[in-house]
mmCIF file of all heavy atoms in Angstrom:
data_model
loop_
_atom_site.group_PDB
_atom_site.id
_atom_site.type_symbol
_atom_site.label_atom_id
_atom_site.label_comp_id
_atom_site.label_asym_id
_atom_site.label_seq_id
_atom_site.Cartn_x
_atom_site.Cartn_y
_atom_site.Cartn_z
ATOM 1 N N PRO W 1 0.827 -1.200 0.016
ATOM 2 C CA PRO W 1 -0.004 0.000 0.037
ATOM 3 C C PRO W 1 0.897 1.197 0.002
ATOM 4 O O PRO W 1 1.871 1.284 0.542
ATOM 5 C CB PRO W 1 -0.783 -0.086 1.282
ATOM 6 C CG PRO W 1 0.042 -1.038 2.171
ATOM 7 C CD PRO W 1 0.785 -2.015 1.215
ATOM 8 N N LYS W 2 0.349 2.263 -0.596
ATOM 9 C CA LYS W 2 1.006 3.593 -0.669
ATOM 10 C C LYS W 2 0.471 4.523 0.382
ATOM 11 O O LYS W 2 -0.321 5.359 0.261
ATOM 12 C CB LYS W 2 0.842 4.184 -2.096
ATOM 13 C CG LYS W 2 1.231 3.312 -3.174
ATOM 14 C CD LYS W 2 0.905 3.923 -4.519
ATOM 15 C CE LYS W 2 1.335 3.025 -5.638
ATOM 16 N NZ LYS W 2 1.007 3.611 -7.004
ATOM 17 N N SER W 3 1.046 4.261 1.705
ATOM 18 C CA SER W 3 0.611 5.082 2.835
ATOM 19 C C SER W 3 -0.794 5.153 2.998
ATOM 20 O O SER W 3 -1.384 6.278 2.920
ATOM 21 C CB SER W 3 1.252 6.456 2.726
ATOM 22 O OG SER W 3 2.676 6.324 2.605
ATOM 23 N N LEU W 4 -1.456 4.003 3.141
ATOM 24 C CA LEU W 4 -3.031 3.999 3.148
ATOM 25 C C LEU W 4 -3.435 3.388 4.464
ATOM 26 O O LEU W 4 -2.966 2.454 4.933
ATOM 27 C CB LEU W 4 -3.369 3.170 1.973
ATOM 28 C CG LEU W 4 -4.844 3.187 1.625
ATOM 29 C CD1 LEU W 4 -5.341 4.501 1.091
ATOM 30 C CD2 LEU W 4 -5.231 1.994 0.590
ATOM 31 N N SER W 5 -4.509 4.039 4.991
ATOM 32 C CA SER W 5 -5.183 3.516 6.129
ATOM 33 C C SER W 5 -6.575 2.904 5.798
ATOM 34 O O SER W 5 -7.070 3.196 4.771
ATOM 35 C CB SER W 5 -5.459 4.614 7.262
ATOM 36 O OG SER W 5 -6.277 5.552 6.917
ATOM 37 N N THR W 6 -7.132 2.161 6.668
ATOM 38 C CA THR W 6 -8.430 1.576 6.434
ATOM 39 C C THR W 6 -9.475 2.753 6.242
ATOM 40 O O THR W 6 -10.313 2.651 5.377
ATOM 41 C CB THR W 6 -8.909 0.700 7.500
ATOM 42 O OG1 THR W 6 -7.946 -0.453 7.652
ATOM 43 C CG2 THR W 6 -10.211 0.004 7.278
ATOM 44 N N GLU W 7 -9.371 3.806 7.027
ATOM 45 C CA GLU W 7 -10.351 4.857 6.876
ATOM 46 C C GLU W 7 -10.188 5.669 5.617
ATOM 47 O O GLU W 7 -11.227 5.812 4.953
ATOM 48 C CB GLU W 7 -10.027 5.870 8.100
ATOM 49 C CG GLU W 7 -10.308 5.346 9.483
ATOM 50 C CD GLU W 7 -9.337 4.269 9.968
ATOM 51 O OE1 GLU W 7 -8.217 4.244 9.436
ATOM 52 O OE2 GLU W 7 -9.719 3.538 10.891
ATOM 53 N N THR W 8 -9.019 5.892 5.111
ATOM 54 C CA THR W 8 -8.891 6.548 3.894
ATOM 55 C C THR W 8 -9.281 5.730 2.678
ATOM 56 O O THR W 8 -9.799 6.126 1.736
ATOM 57 C CB THR W 8 -7.440 7.047 3.636
ATOM 58 O OG1 THR W 8 -6.483 6.030 3.768
ATOM 59 C CG2 THR W 8 -7.055 8.017 4.699
ATOM 60 N N LEU W 9 -9.079 4.352 2.895
ATOM 61 C CA LEU W 9 -9.445 3.415 1.803
ATOM 62 C C LEU W 9 -11.060 3.455 1.711
ATOM 63 O O LEU W 9 -11.556 3.397 0.645
ATOM 64 C CB LEU W 9 -8.976 2.037 2.185
ATOM 65 C CG LEU W 9 -9.315 0.918 1.197
ATOM 66 C CD1 LEU W 9 -8.834 1.304 -0.304
ATOM 67 C CD2 LEU W 9 -8.620 -0.403 1.630
ATOM 68 N N ALA W 10 -11.583 3.342 2.941
ATOM 69 C CA ALA W 10 -13.138 3.413 2.919
ATOM 70 C C ALA W 10 -13.754 4.616 2.285
ATOM 71 O O ALA W 10 -14.648 4.557 1.477
ATOM 72 C CB ALA W 10 -13.595 3.250 4.314
ATOM 73 N N LYS W 11 -13.050 5.674 2.496
ATOM 74 C CA LYS W 11 -13.456 6.939 1.867
ATOM 75 C C LYS W 11 -13.280 6.919 0.371
ATOM 76 O O LYS W 11 -14.186 7.340 -0.421
ATOM 77 C CB LYS W 11 -12.720 8.103 2.414
ATOM 78 C CG LYS W 11 -13.226 9.479 1.900
ATOM 79 C CD LYS W 11 -12.397 10.621 2.645
ATOM 80 C CE LYS W 11 -12.771 12.001 2.090
ATOM 81 N NZ LYS W 11 -12.129 13.126 2.784
ATOM 82 N N ALA W 12 -12.204 6.317 -0.082
ATOM 83 C CA ALA W 12 -11.857 6.292 -1.510
ATOM 84 C C ALA W 12 -12.986 5.397 -2.211
ATOM 85 O O ALA W 12 -13.247 5.671 -3.428
ATOM 86 C CB ALA W 12 -10.481 5.789 -1.782
ATOM 87 N N LEU W 13 -13.443 4.421 -1.556
ATOM 88 C CA LEU W 13 -14.431 3.373 -2.110
ATOM 89 C C LEU W 13 -15.775 3.907 -1.841
ATOM 90 O O LEU W 13 -16.692 3.200 -2.275
ATOM 91 C CB LEU W 13 -14.177 2.077 -1.451
ATOM 92 C CG LEU W 13 -12.832 1.309 -1.745
ATOM 93 C CD1 LEU W 13 -12.656 0.113 -0.785
ATOM 94 C CD2 LEU W 13 -12.800 0.978 -3.254
ATOM 95 N N SER W 14 -16.007 4.868 -1.150
ATOM 96 C CA SER W 14 -17.360 5.407 -0.676
ATOM 97 C C SER W 14 -18.092 4.243 0.079
ATOM 98 O O SER W 14 -19.348 4.019 -0.086
ATOM 99 C CB SER W 14 -18.200 5.763 -1.949
ATOM 100 O OG SER W 14 -17.615 6.807 -2.649
ATOM 101 N N ALA W 15 -17.403 3.640 1.016
ATOM 102 C CA ALA W 15 -18.002 2.530 1.756
ATOM 103 C C ALA W 15 -18.866 3.150 2.781
ATOM 104 O O ALA W 15 -18.556 4.174 3.489
ATOM 105 C CB ALA W 15 -16.798 1.618 2.398
ATOM 106 N N VAL W 16 -19.940 2.430 3.143
ATOM 107 C CA VAL W 16 -20.851 2.833 4.163
ATOM 108 C C VAL W 16 -20.459 2.213 5.625
ATOM 109 O O VAL W 16 -20.859 2.651 6.599
ATOM 110 C CB VAL W 16 -22.288 2.542 3.906
ATOM 111 C CG1 VAL W 16 -22.723 3.362 2.632
ATOM 112 C CG2 VAL W 16 -22.529 1.141 3.677
ATOM 113 N N ARG W 17 -19.757 1.079 5.417
ATOM 114 C CA ARG W 17 -19.390 0.374 6.703
ATOM 115 C C ARG W 17 -18.082 -0.530 6.375
ATOM 116 O O ARG W 17 -17.947 -0.991 5.266
ATOM 117 C CB ARG W 17 -20.450 -0.481 7.234
ATOM 118 C CG ARG W 17 -20.226 -1.052 8.616
ATOM 119 C CD ARG W 17 -21.395 -1.862 9.147
ATOM 120 N NE ARG W 17 -22.619 -1.089 9.271
ATOM 121 C CZ ARG W 17 -23.767 -1.636 9.709
ATOM 122 N NH1 ARG W 17 -23.961 -2.775 9.910
ATOM 123 N NH2 ARG W 17 -24.853 -0.744 9.666
ATOM 124 N N THR W 18 -17.299 -0.695 7.339
ATOM 125 C CA THR W 18 -16.081 -1.498 7.203
ATOM 126 C C THR W 18 -16.134 -2.620 8.264
ATOM 127 O O THR W 18 -16.650 -2.432 9.350
ATOM 128 C CB THR W 18 -14.713 -0.731 7.378
ATOM 129 O OG1 THR W 18 -14.751 -0.191 8.658
ATOM 130 C CG2 THR W 18 -14.670 0.355 6.276
ATOM 131 N N CYS W 19 -15.427 -3.781 7.973
ATOM 132 C CA CYS W 19 -15.384 -4.865 8.970
ATOM 133 C C CYS W 19 -13.868 -5.365 8.952
ATOM 134 O O CYS W 19 -13.419 -5.725 7.905
ATOM 135 C CB CYS W 19 -16.333 -5.924 8.626
ATOM 136 S SG CYS W 19 -16.246 -7.369 9.715
ATOM 137 N N THR W 20 -13.224 -5.263 10.073
ATOM 138 C CA THR W 20 -11.797 -5.711 10.151
ATOM 139 C C THR W 20 -11.741 -6.603 11.400
ATOM 140 O O THR W 20 -12.459 -6.261 12.423
ATOM 141 C CB THR W 20 -10.882 -4.563 10.229
ATOM 142 O OG1 THR W 20 -11.197 -3.781 11.323
ATOM 143 C CG2 THR W 20 -10.910 -3.772 8.979
ATOM 144 N N THR W 21 -10.825 -7.610 11.312
ATOM 145 C CA THR W 21 -10.535 -8.408 12.429
ATOM 146 C C THR W 21 -9.097 -8.291 12.825
ATOM 147 O O THR W 21 -8.225 -8.385 11.928
ATOM 148 C CB THR W 21 -10.943 -9.850 12.150
ATOM 149 O OG1 THR W 21 -12.245 -9.989 11.793
ATOM 150 C CG2 THR W 21 -10.598 -10.873 13.333
ATOM 151 N N SER W 22 -8.750 -8.054 14.202
ATOM 152 C CA SER W 22 -7.400 -7.928 14.536
ATOM 153 C C SER W 22 -6.578 -9.156 14.017
ATOM 154 O O SER W 22 -6.832 -10.283 14.307
ATOM 155 C CB SER W 22 -7.321 -7.785 16.005
ATOM 156 O OG SER W 22 -5.967 -7.600 16.545
ATOM 157 N N GLY W 23 -5.386 -8.678 13.390
ATOM 158 C CA GLY W 23 -4.514 -9.893 12.877
ATOM 159 C C GLY W 23 -4.923 -10.425 11.579
ATOM 160 O O GLY W 23 -4.103 -11.248 11.048
ATOM 161 N N SER W 24 -6.093 -10.068 11.053
ATOM 162 C CA SER W 24 -6.474 -10.701 9.774
ATOM 163 C C SER W 24 -5.983 -9.733 8.673
ATOM 164 O O SER W 24 -6.075 -8.534 8.796
ATOM 165 C CB SER W 24 -7.978 -10.795 9.657
ATOM 166 O OG SER W 24 -8.330 -11.140 8.415
ATOM 167 N N PRO W 25 -5.432 -10.335 7.658
ATOM 168 C CA PRO W 25 -5.025 -9.481 6.536
ATOM 169 C C PRO W 25 -6.149 -9.074 5.672
ATOM 170 O O PRO W 25 -6.055 -8.290 4.588
ATOM 171 C CB PRO W 25 -4.105 -10.433 5.702
ATOM 172 C CG PRO W 25 -4.750 -11.785 5.923
ATOM 173 C CD PRO W 25 -5.239 -11.768 7.347
ATOM 174 N N THR W 26 -7.431 -9.459 5.819
ATOM 175 C CA THR W 26 -8.571 -9.130 4.998
ATOM 176 C C THR W 26 -9.499 -8.095 5.629
ATOM 177 O O THR W 26 -9.859 -8.229 6.915
ATOM 178 C CB THR W 26 -9.335 -10.316 4.635
ATOM 179 O OG1 THR W 26 -8.552 -11.321 4.061
ATOM 180 C CG2 THR W 26 -10.550 -10.005 3.725
ATOM 181 N N SER W 27 -9.877 -7.047 4.965
ATOM 182 C CA SER W 27 -10.863 -6.010 5.416
ATOM 183 C C SER W 27 -12.034 -6.058 4.445
ATOM 184 O O SER W 27 -11.835 -6.183 3.191
ATOM 185 C CB SER W 27 -10.213 -4.697 5.447
ATOM 186 O OG SER W 27 -9.110 -4.620 6.292
ATOM 187 N N SER W 28 -13.245 -5.994 5.060
ATOM 188 C CA SER W 28 -14.476 -6.017 4.298
ATOM 189 C C SER W 28 -15.053 -4.636 4.237
ATOM 190 O O SER W 28 -15.077 -3.891 5.218
ATOM 191 C CB SER W 28 -15.362 -7.056 4.764
ATOM 192 O OG SER W 28 -14.900 -8.330 4.757
ATOM 193 N N PHE W 29 -15.570 -4.228 3.083
ATOM 194 C CA PHE W 29 -16.332 -2.966 2.899
ATOM 195 C C PHE W 29 -17.686 -3.103 2.316
ATOM 196 O O PHE W 29 -17.857 -3.823 1.351
ATOM 197 C CB PHE W 29 -15.448 -2.096 1.948
ATOM 198 C CG PHE W 29 -13.943 -1.858 2.440
ATOM 199 C CD1 PHE W 29 -12.989 -2.750 2.168
ATOM 200 C CD2 PHE W 29 -13.706 -0.689 3.234
ATOM 201 C CE1 PHE W 29 -11.698 -2.585 2.644
ATOM 202 C CE2 PHE W 29 -12.371 -0.537 3.649
ATOM 203 C CZ PHE W 29 -11.427 -1.468 3.342
ATOM 204 N N ALA W 30 -18.711 -2.466 2.915
ATOM 205 C CA ALA W 30 -20.009 -2.496 2.409
ATOM 206 C C ALA W 30 -20.137 -1.266 1.496
ATOM 207 O O ALA W 30 -20.034 -0.034 1.902
ATOM 208 C CB ALA W 30 -20.991 -2.451 3.541
ATOM 209 N N LEU W 31 -20.469 -1.496 0.254
ATOM 210 C CA LEU W 31 -20.609 -0.488 -0.756
ATOM 211 C C LEU W 31 -22.014 -0.437 -1.424
ATOM 212 O O LEU W 31 -22.653 -1.489 -1.421
ATOM 213 C CB LEU W 31 -19.548 -0.665 -1.965
ATOM 214 C CG LEU W 31 -18.150 -0.972 -1.383
ATOM 215 C CD1 LEU W 31 -17.185 -1.346 -2.578
ATOM 216 C CD2 LEU W 31 -17.591 0.218 -0.611
ATOM 217 N N PRO W 32 -22.460 0.678 -1.805
ATOM 218 C CA PRO W 32 -23.826 0.686 -2.332
ATOM 219 C C PRO W 32 -24.065 -0.262 -3.416
ATOM 220 O O PRO W 32 -23.181 -0.374 -4.401
ATOM 221 C CB PRO W 32 -23.940 2.157 -2.832
ATOM 222 C CG PRO W 32 -22.921 3.008 -1.983
ATOM 223 C CD PRO W 32 -21.730 2.040 -1.867
ATOM 224 N N TYR W 33 -25.219 -0.954 -3.454
ATOM 225 C CA TYR W 33 -25.636 -1.824 -4.406
ATOM 226 C C TYR W 33 -26.371 -0.956 -5.467
ATOM 227 O O TYR W 33 -27.352 -0.415 -5.192
ATOM 228 C CB TYR W 33 -26.536 -2.959 -3.942
ATOM 229 C CG TYR W 33 -26.841 -4.133 -4.738
ATOM 230 C CD1 TYR W 33 -26.236 -5.323 -4.532
ATOM 231 C CD2 TYR W 33 -27.679 -4.031 -5.810
ATOM 232 C CE1 TYR W 33 -26.396 -6.474 -5.297
ATOM 233 C CE2 TYR W 33 -27.933 -5.100 -6.680
ATOM 234 C CZ TYR W 33 -27.237 -6.350 -6.361
ATOM 235 O OH TYR W 33 -27.453 -7.360 -7.237
ATOM 236 N N PRO W 34 -25.886 -1.012 -6.667
ATOM 237 C CA PRO W 34 -26.595 -0.165 -7.761
ATOM 238 C C PRO W 34 -28.014 -0.442 -7.905
ATOM 239 O O PRO W 34 -28.458 -1.596 -8.079
ATOM 240 C CB PRO W 34 -25.822 -0.537 -9.021
ATOM 241 C CG PRO W 34 -24.466 -0.962 -8.607
ATOM 242 C CD PRO W 34 -24.790 -1.704 -7.320
ATOM 243 N N GLY W 35 -28.794 0.621 -7.778
ATOM 244 C CA GLY W 35 -30.332 0.550 -7.998
ATOM 245 C C GLY W 35 -31.036 -0.001 -6.845
ATOM 246 O O GLY W 35 -32.235 -0.027 -6.927
ATOM 247 N N ARG W 36 -30.419 -0.128 -5.737
ATOM 248 C CA ARG W 36 -31.133 -0.677 -4.434
ATOM 249 C C ARG W 36 -30.698 0.185 -3.231
ATOM 250 O O ARG W 36 -29.530 0.083 -2.791
ATOM 251 C CB ARG W 36 -30.878 -2.179 -4.302
ATOM 252 C CG ARG W 36 -31.528 -2.968 -5.355
ATOM 253 C CD ARG W 36 -31.302 -4.481 -5.015
ATOM 254 N NE ARG W 36 -32.080 -4.821 -3.828
ATOM 255 C CZ ARG W 36 -32.121 -6.135 -3.312
ATOM 256 N NH1 ARG W 36 -31.711 -7.106 -4.041
ATOM 257 N NH2 ARG W 36 -32.654 -6.231 -2.135
ATOM 258 N N ALA W 37 -31.546 1.016 -2.742
ATOM 259 C CA ALA W 37 -31.162 1.823 -1.661
ATOM 260 C C ALA W 37 -30.935 1.062 -0.355
ATOM 261 O O ALA W 37 -30.199 1.618 0.509
ATOM 262 C CB ALA W 37 -32.244 2.899 -1.491
ATOM 263 N N ASP W 38 -31.513 -0.139 -0.246
ATOM 264 C CA ASP W 38 -31.491 -0.896 1.055
ATOM 265 C C ASP W 38 -30.592 -2.076 1.018
ATOM 266 O O ASP W 38 -30.552 -2.916 1.807
ATOM 267 C CB ASP W 38 -32.876 -1.422 1.407
ATOM 268 C CG ASP W 38 -33.422 -2.359 0.294
ATOM 269 O OD1 ASP W 38 -32.895 -2.356 -0.823
ATOM 270 O OD2 ASP W 38 -34.288 -3.135 0.646
ATOM 271 N N ALA W 39 -29.672 -2.052 -0.079
ATOM 272 C CA ALA W 39 -28.821 -3.216 -0.279
ATOM 273 C C ALA W 39 -27.370 -2.723 -0.508
ATOM 274 O O ALA W 39 -27.026 -1.671 -1.002
ATOM 275 C CB ALA W 39 -29.286 -4.122 -1.374
ATOM 276 N N TYR W 40 -26.418 -3.704 -0.242
ATOM 277 C CA TYR W 40 -24.896 -3.270 -0.377
ATOM 278 C C TYR W 40 -24.222 -4.474 -1.055
ATOM 279 O O TYR W 40 -24.624 -5.643 -0.951
ATOM 280 C CB TYR W 40 -24.388 -2.968 1.059
ATOM 281 C CG TYR W 40 -25.172 -1.864 1.653
ATOM 282 C CD1 TYR W 40 -26.296 -2.049 2.459
ATOM 283 C CD2 TYR W 40 -24.793 -0.561 1.425
ATOM 284 C CE1 TYR W 40 -26.987 -0.989 3.016
ATOM 285 C CE2 TYR W 40 -25.473 0.500 2.021
ATOM 286 C CZ TYR W 40 -26.592 0.260 2.736
ATOM 287 O OH TYR W 40 -27.240 1.351 3.294
ATOM 288 N N VAL W 41 -23.077 -4.191 -1.520
ATOM 289 C CA VAL W 41 -22.118 -5.157 -2.081
ATOM 290 C C VAL W 41 -21.024 -5.237 -1.142
ATOM 291 O O VAL W 41 -20.509 -4.172 -0.604
ATOM 292 C CB VAL W 41 -21.602 -4.627 -3.455
ATOM 293 C CG1 VAL W 41 -20.490 -5.586 -4.013
ATOM 294 C CG2 VAL W 41 -22.718 -4.461 -4.417
ATOM 295 N N GLN W 42 -20.591 -6.471 -0.841
ATOM 296 C CA GLN W 42 -19.403 -6.659 0.028
ATOM 297 C C GLN W 42 -18.163 -6.789 -0.824
ATOM 298 O O GLN W 42 -18.058 -7.670 -1.640
ATOM 299 C CB GLN W 42 -19.588 -7.978 0.897
ATOM 300 C CG GLN W 42 -18.427 -8.222 1.806
ATOM 301 C CD GLN W 42 -18.669 -9.341 2.658
ATOM 302 O OE1 GLN W 42 -19.614 -9.533 3.259
ATOM 303 N NE2 GLN W 42 -17.604 -10.267 2.850
ATOM 304 N N LEU W 43 -17.142 -5.932 -0.557
ATOM 305 C CA LEU W 43 -15.881 -5.999 -1.181
ATOM 306 C C LEU W 43 -14.855 -6.414 -0.172
ATOM 307 O O LEU W 43 -14.649 -5.766 0.920
ATOM 308 C CB LEU W 43 -15.457 -4.647 -1.748
ATOM 309 C CG LEU W 43 -14.037 -4.512 -2.296
ATOM 310 C CD1 LEU W 43 -13.960 -5.337 -3.551
ATOM 311 C CD2 LEU W 43 -13.765 -3.069 -2.630
ATOM 312 N N ASP W 44 -14.157 -7.559 -0.344
ATOM 313 C CA ASP W 44 -13.075 -8.019 0.532
ATOM 314 C C ASP W 44 -11.754 -7.670 -0.037
ATOM 315 O O ASP W 44 -11.436 -8.184 -1.217
ATOM 316 C CB ASP W 44 -13.242 -9.529 0.768
ATOM 317 C CG ASP W 44 -14.424 -9.886 1.567
ATOM 318 O OD1 ASP W 44 -14.917 -9.034 2.266
ATOM 319 O OD2 ASP W 44 -14.769 -11.119 1.605
#
């Protein structure tokens, strides 16, 4: 990564929520699901 934090990454992706686990290399981001105001796409 180029000097990147989870918070700045979430902002760059327009994420509405993030999920991280201590020690895990994977972070999940909830992103708007096109055409559905009540649904989201999970990006890992």
Side-chain angles (χ1 to χ4, degrees):
K2 301 176 181 178
S3 301
L4 191 67
S5 68
T6 302
E7 291 74 20
T8 56
L9 180 56
K11 184 176 180 180
L13 294 169
S14 300
V16 299
R17 191 178 298 177
T18 62
C19 178
T20 59
T21 302
S22 178
S24 173
T26 302
S27 298
S28 299
F29 301 84
L31 311 174
Y33 193 106
R36 294 186 57 175
D38 62 341
Y40 302 87
V41 175
Q42 180 177 316
L43 173 69
D44 290 343

